[in-house]
Amino acid sequence: MAGCWWLLIHCVLFACSSAHSDLFTSTGQMTDLLFIEKDLVTSLKAYIRVEENKLELIKQWADKLHVLSAAATQDPEGFLGNPVNAFKLMKRLNTEWGELESLVLTDMSDVFISNLTIQRQYFPNDEDQAGAAKALMRLQDTYQLDTNTISTGQLPGQHNHCASLTVDDCYDLGKVAYSEADYYHTGLWMVQALKQLDQGEMSSAVDAVTILDYLSYSVYQQGDLERALQFTKRLLGLDPMHQRANGNLKYFEYQLSKQKKVEERTEGEAEGRQRRETRGQPDDYLPERKTYEQLCRGEGLRMNPRRESHLFCRYYDNNHHPRYVIGPVKQEDEWDRPHIVRYHNIVSDKEMEKVKELAKPRVSQQTVSHIISSCLSSVSAWLGAYEHPVVDQINQRIGDLTGLDVTTAEDLQVANYGVGGQYEPHFDFGRKDEPDAFEELGTGNRIATWLLYMSDVQAGGATVFTDIGVAVWPKKGSAVFWYNLHPSGEGDYRTRHAACPVLVGNKWVSNKWIHERGQEFRRRCGLQETD
C-alpha cells in the first residue's frame, strides 16, 4: 500500500486542472454500465408490455361500443324502447365510462421510472463523456486514423462488435474538441459530420448550417482563410440571412486581400506550411511524443542482424532452481541493452482469473501526471500476498525466476486499461531529483520491474521503451522483466517506458516493483556507474 501512497503524492506534486476530463475508464467498470443498461432495457420492455395491455383493454372497449352505438343510432327510439338497453346506457355513462377514465389516467410508468432513478446514480456525467471523446481523438492521433475509418467502424484488429458513428456522434465529437479550443479536431469531425449529411444521412439534432458555422471558425483559427471563406459562402447559400456568417464573410475577404498584398509571399507561404505541419499538435508537444506514437504504431527501430543474432529463446531454470529443474520455463530475449526478457506461459488462466476477481471490486481511479502530457489515470488495485494463495504463489514465482528477494517488493498492482487507456513515458525508479520517492517504504529504490500481461489485446496496448526504440506487445500469460538500476545503483535511463493506448480490446496487467533492500548478495554492486 505504501507504493499506492507514493503514486498519490506524485499525483499531487504534478497535478493539473484537466485530471477528471482526461479520465481513462476501465473496461471492468464499463462492463458494469453495460449490465445496468441491459437491466434498464428489460425494465423498459416490461413497461411497454403493461402499456400495450392497457391500450388493448381500451381498444376492446372502444370496438365494443363502436358496434353498439352504430346500431343504436340507426333507430334510437326503437333501441331505447327496450328497457334493458335504457338501463345499460345509464349504467355505462354513470359508471363504466368513469372506470375507463380511471384506466386511461392510470400511470403505468412508476416501476420503470423508479428503476431508472435508482440506476441513474451510476451513469457517466458530462465530463466522463467528454473524456471518452478525447480518448477517441488520442487514438486517432496515435494510430494515424482518419475520421472516416473511425466513423465506419473499420478499426484495425476489430472483427466483431463493429460500430459506426452517426452524424450526431461526429458533431458531438467536434463540439467536445471545440470546447477545448482544439480547432484541429473540431475541423476534422465537423467535416466528417458534413460529409455524412451530404451523403444523405438524416439527423434530428443538427443541420448543415450549424456544422458549417463551426467549420468556418475552426479552420480560420488554424490560419486557413481560404477554406474558412469557402465554408462561409456555402453557409450563406443555405441561410442568406445568417448574421454571423455575413459578418465573417466581409472579415475573411478583407484578411485575404491583405494576405495577397504581402510583399514577401514566399516567406509567408513557408510560414503557412510550417503552421500546417504543426497544426493539431498540443502546446507541450515534444520529440518524445513523436517517438512514442511511432512505437505504438509498430514503427520502432529495428535491431541490426548482428545484434539480433545474440537474442535467444531458451528453457530457463535459474541456475538449476529446484522448482524448475524438471519443468523449466520458456524465456525469450526481447532486447539486449538493457536486457529485457519475456517469460512465456508463466501463469495459468485460472490464476489470472483469480487475480482479476480479487482486483475488480477494489479498482480505484489513480491519476498520475507525467512530463509530456496532461494528467492520465489507470484503474488499479493493490493485492498483498496474504490476501489469497494465488497472489502468494505469483510472488514466489517472481522471486524464484529473478533470483531477487520479493519480501521487500511492493504489493502486486493490478491495472485495467479500457479503450484509449494509456500510461505515458515515465521511469519506474526514483531519480536523483526525487531523493524521497520511496523514503516511506524504507526499502530503497525500485531495482527491477516485473510486468505480467493477463489478457491479449486486439490492437494497440504495447509497452514501448522510448529511449531505445523498443515495442513489447501484450501476450496473455507472459511476463516481461528488466532492471531499472545498474548494478552500481544508478538509474538506467534507457528503461523509460510507456503503455500505448488500447485501440481495440481490453488490457489487464499486473506489476511487481522489486526494491533494492534484500538484494545486496543477490545482485552485487558494480564498481563503475553504469556497471
Side-chain angles (χ1 to χ4, degrees):
M1 288 301 296
C4 178
W5 282 110
W6 182 85
L7 280 175
L8 185 58
I9 293 168
H10 193 262
C11 170
V12 172
L13 290 174
F14 294 94
C16 66
S17 60
S18 60
H20 185 85
S21 61
D22 281 329
L23 199 65
F24 286 90
T25 308
S26 83
T27 304
Q29 290 178 325
M30 294 287 282
T31 299
D32 293 338
L33 293 179
L34 276 179
F35 282 101
I36 286 174
E37 188 172 52
K38 180 182 178 182
D39 178 63
L40 286 174
V41 170
T42 302
S43 180
L44 179 60
K45 286 189 172 183
Y47 162 65
I48 291 171
R49 285 194 298 272
V50 172
E51 288 285 10
E52 286 175 341
N53 291 338
K54 170 183 167 181
L55 288 174
E56 183 61 28
L57 289 173
I58 296 171
K59 184 176 180 296
Q60 291 174 5
W61 171 264
D63 290 344
K64 181 180 72 174
L65 286 186
H66 175 73
V67 173
L68 181 64
S69 60
T73 53
Q74 291 293 323
D75 181 14
E77 292 185 1
F79 180 82
L80 292 173
N82 185 327
V84 173
N85 287 337
F87 166 74
K88 293 187 71 172
L89 175 62
M90 295 299 105
K91 180 189 174 190
R92 281 198 306 275
L93 292 174
N94 183 52
T95 305
E96 295 179 11
W97 275 97
E99 293 172 353
L100 180 64
E101 180 183 18
S102 298
L103 177 61
V104 171
L105 293 175
T106 300
D107 187 356
M108 302 294 187
S109 65
D110 287 351
V111 174
F112 170 69
I113 294 299
S114 176
N115 191 22
L116 180 62
T117 302
I118 292 170
Q119 302 288 15
R120 194 182 295 278
Q121 63 182 310
Y122 305 111
F123 283 14
N125 56 28
D126 291 342
E127 287 184 279
D128 293 325
Q129 181 178 332
K134 284 185 278 187
L136 195 57
M137 287 181 263
R138 269 195 293 274
L139 292 172
Q140 180 182 357
D141 293 343
T142 302
Y143 296 104
Q144 294 184 340
L145 304 172
D146 60 64
T147 53
N148 191 65
T149 297
I150 298 174
S151 182
T152 55
Q154 299 172 353
L155 298 175
Q158 179 69 72
H159 306 297
N160 301 314
H161 310 295
C162 293
S164 59
L165 297 175
T166 64
V167 170
D168 297 344
D169 294 331
C170 296
Y171 171 70
D172 287 338
L173 284 166
K175 281 208 306 180
V176 169
Y178 184 84
S179 68
E180 297 289 319
D182 178 1
Y183 301 114
Y184 171 70
H185 288 106
T186 302
L188 290 178
W189 284 105
M190 290 300 177
V191 164
Q192 182 64 31
L194 187 63
K195 174 185 174 182
Q196 291 180 208
L197 269 182
D198 291 343
Q199 290 173 345
E201 186 177 329
M202 302 300 294
S203 171
S204 58
V206 66
D207 56 22
V209 169
T210 304
I211 294 173
L212 287 164
D213 195 17
Y214 276 102
L215 261 177
S216 61
Y217 185 73
S218 62
V219 297
Y220 160 70
Q221 286 291 336
Q222 296 175 73
D224 196 340
L225 280 169
E226 290 186 3
R227 286 185 73 210
L229 183 60
Q230 290 172 5
F231 287 131
T232 302
K233 286 180 177 179
R234 183 175 172 185
L235 190 161
L236 288 171
L238 298 172
D239 184 2
M241 303 305 293
H242 196 286
Q243 186 175 355
R244 182 167 49 250
N246 277 298
N248 287 344
L249 179 67
K250 296 176 183 177
Y251 178 74
F252 294 154
E253 288 176 337
Y254 170 71
Q255 290 295 328
L256 272 173
S257 66
K258 281 180 63 179
Q259 266 190 5
K260 291 176 182 178
K261 293 177 183 178
V262 175
E263 293 181 357
E264 298 178 4
R265 295 180 61 185
T266 306
E267 182 181 348
E269 290 171 3
E271 290 176 356
R273 282 196 300 272
Q274 183 179 3
R275 185 164 56 246
R276 285 192 292 272
E277 287 171 3
T278 59
R279 191 179 300 154
Q281 295 179 351
D283 295 336
D284 60 351
Y285 193 93
L286 296 177
E288 185 181 36
R289 172 70 66 87
K290 181 179 179 181
T291 302
Y292 162 65
E293 292 179 349
Q294 286 176 334
L295 290 169
C296 289
R297 294 192 296 269
E299 300 170 4
L301 299 176
R302 293 291 182 265
M303 184 180 286
N304 64 55
R306 185 173 180 179
R307 282 181 67 183
E308 194 170 9
S309 67
H310 292 90
L311 301 182
F312 296 97
C313 296
R314 63 186 70 82
Y315 284 102
Y316 181 76
D317 63 10
N318 194 16
N319 197 25
H320 306 296
H321 191 285
R323 284 194 176 92
Y324 298 101
V325 170
I326 296 178
V329 298
K330 298 174 183 177
Q331 187 191 65
E332 176 186 2
D333 295 326
E334 290 281 353
W335 202 253
D336 57 351
R337 296 188 299 272
H339 193 203
I340 304 170
V341 297
R342 187 197 294 263
Y343 296 94
H344 292 274
N345 304 319
I346 203 63
V347 287
S348 66
D349 287 344
K350 186 176 180 181
E351 288 173 320
M352 288 184 284
E353 289 307 312
K354 175 52 69 174
V355 170
K356 292 179 192 177
E357 180 186 326
L358 293 170
K360 281 178 182 178
R362 299 180 354 205
V363 291
S364 60
Q365 290 290 349
Q366 292 181 14
T367 306
V368 183
S369 175
H370 294 293
I371 293 173
I372 69 170
S373 175
S374 57
C375 293
L376 304 175
S377 68
S378 63
V379 180
S380 59
W382 298 77
L383 301 178
Y386 63 89
E387 298 188 51
H388 196 277
V390 166
V391 180
D392 189 37
Q393 289 165 13
I394 291 175
N395 288 343
Q396 181 67 55
R397 203 167 302 154
I398 295 170
D400 292 341
L401 291 171
T402 63
L404 298 175
D405 185 352
V406 295
T407 60
T408 59
E410 296 173 46
D411 286 344
L412 192 70
Q413 186 199 43
V414 182
N416 177 217
Y417 298 89
V419 172
Q422 64 179 5
Y423 202 141
E424 296 212 359
H426 63 283
F427 298 104
D428 281 351
F429 62 88
R431 287 153 292 170
K432 289 182 179 179
D433 58 349
E434 302 170 321
D436 302 329
F438 305 105
E439 185 177 9
E440 291 186 6
L441 296 179
T443 53
N445 212 340
R446 286 174 173 168
I447 192 173
T449 295
W450 171 281
L451 175 61
L452 171 65
Y453 297 108
M454 299 193 295
S455 66
D456 291 314
V457 180
Q458 288 122 293
T463 303
V464 298
F465 293 77
T466 53
D467 187 72
I468 56 177
V470 178
V472 179
W473 299 93
K475 185 176 181 182
K476 187 177 181 181
S478 71
V480 178
F481 174 79
W482 67 88
Y483 281 102
N484 296 305
L485 306 179
H486 292 292
S488 64
E490 294 294 323
D492 189 342
Y493 285 81
R494 299 171 300 178
T495 62
R496 185 168 173 83
H497 61 285
C500 294
V502 176
L503 178 57
V504 178
N506 179 20
K507 181 180 176 184
W508 280 92
V509 298
S510 60
N511 301 292
K512 192 71 175 177
W513 285 305
I514 305 170
H515 284 250
E516 291 178 291
R517 296 295 177 265
Q519 321 307 338
E520 293 83 354
F521 299 102
R522 295 172 182 253
R523 192 192 192 216
R524 295 188 180 269
C525 183
L527 298 178
Q528 302 298 322
E529 184 174 316
T530 57
D531 280 352

